[in-house]
Amino acid sequence: MSEGNSRSITTNQIGVHEKLDELVLKYKRSTNLRPIGEHTQAAFDEAQGWLGNYSGPIILDSCCGVGESTAHIANANPECRVIGLDKSALRVNKHQHYSAGQDNYRVIRADVNDFWRLVAKAQWNVVQHYLLYPNPYPKKTQVQKRWHASAAMPDLMSITPNIEVRSNWLIYVMEFAQSAKQYGVEGRLSEVSSTTPITPFERKYTASGQQCWQLVCNSDEAE
């Protein structure tokens, strides 16, 4: 089957959502009181057990799907522990096909909303966070389903300012950059120039002739 058959993003939204700043500020000022799901608490406890007394650098790969990117990141960062997260058991269970045999990473099924809160509370030494091709929810009415305009954003931003977001929808990364600024985090937007895709989605989008975009964020202090 050809890999170059991905449809382009279809949206009724033109440019950054006009209510984005209002939504980001609303959630930044609020407290997330949603109970932590039992399966995600168990997944976090499993991750804690794997880390043990380790206090070195940790990299998160959220919404990792089958974990191809997680294996790639782990291979490129052997000095770090890397944790890939995805809510789908079906996708996570396919990871063995992409495993490269490294022992410095794990791919775990969890709700990232809850997992991020637990990571922030535990103050893990997260040095980098990847959000590679998350569901863009491109309809204008779906804006609050996007991570940067949701109640999860405060926890996401409290983990680390070093965040890389990739998407084949330019508006998504533009919105994330604008949202991150409200947390004192600057982003550099560019086209994905790598000739070696690191996720199945990136491979499909590239083969379909679609442009992929990346936003690399850092705190003001890191500049």
Side-chain angles (χ1 to χ4, degrees):
M1 181 181 293
S2 172
E3 293 185 327
N5 58 358
S6 294
R7 296 179 180 178
S8 299
I9 294 290
T10 300
T11 179
N12 60 346
Q13 182 178 322
I14 302 174
V16 170
H17 200 286
E18 65 271 15
K19 291 187 176 180
L20 179 65
D21 289 337
E22 175 186 335
L23 289 168
V24 175
L25 187 58
K26 168 190 171 182
Y27 289 121
K28 186 179 180 183
R29 290 174 172 172
S30 64
T31 301
N32 191 343
L33 300 177
R34 185 180 109 167
I36 300 293
E38 290 185 9
H39 80 279
T40 297
Q41 181 66 64
F44 181 78
D45 293 342
E46 175 189 340
Q48 284 274 50
W50 173 61
L51 290 171
N53 295 325
Y54 176 79
S55 60
I58 297 171
I59 298 175
L60 295 182
D61 181 23
S62 292
C63 311
C64 69
V66 295
E68 179 180 357
S69 55
T70 313
H72 176 88
I73 293 165
N75 184 59
N77 298 274
E79 76 285 1
C80 298
R81 296 287 180 92
V82 183
I83 296 177
L85 303 168
D86 198 271
K87 67 179 181 181
S88 169
L90 179 63
R91 289 191 289 266
V92 168
N93 289 339
K94 291 182 179 179
H95 173 66
Q96 62 269 19
H97 178 72
Y98 298 90
S99 175
Q102 304 101 298
D103 61 3
N104 65 324
Y105 81 96
R106 290 290 186 275
V107 174
I108 297 172
R109 177 180 176 250
D111 180 326
V112 296
N113 295 272
D114 290 346
F115 204 96
W116 291 344
R117 289 170 62 192
L118 293 168
V119 169
K121 184 178 180 180
Q123 297 184 325
W124 280 8
N125 181 26
V126 178
V127 297
Q128 183 70 43
H129 194 171
Y130 289 91
L131 284 169
L132 305 178
Y133 304 96
N135 189 332
Y137 293 106
K139 293 181 180 179
K140 189 174 182 179
T141 56
Q142 296 176 317
V143 60
Q144 292 185 76
K145 291 186 176 183
R146 302 169 201 161
W147 297 126
H148 50 266
S150 76
M153 189 62 168
D155 296 310
L156 169 59
M157 298 306 299
S158 70
I159 292 172
T160 179
N162 303 318
I163 305 167
E164 180 171 333
V165 184
R166 294 190 187 185
S167 178
N168 65 326
W169 189 34
L170 180 57
I171 288 176
Y172 189 96
V173 288
M174 290 173 62
E175 285 189 346
F176 197 101
Q178 185 167 313
S179 300
K181 282 186 177 181
Q182 293 206 38
Y183 290 85
V185 174
E186 295 293 331
R188 299 183 302 280
L189 177 59
S190 63
E191 297 181 4
V192 174
S193 57
S194 173
T195 57
T196 306
I198 63 173
T199 82
F201 281 121
E202 190 166 88
R203 185 175 298 109
K204 287 182 179 181
Y205 297 149
T206 300
S208 299
Q210 298 181 35
Q211 181 59 60
C212 295
W213 304 90
Q214 65 181 6
L215 178 73
V216 178
C217 296
N218 301 102
S219 67
D220 290 337
E221 293 78 6
E223 295 295 319

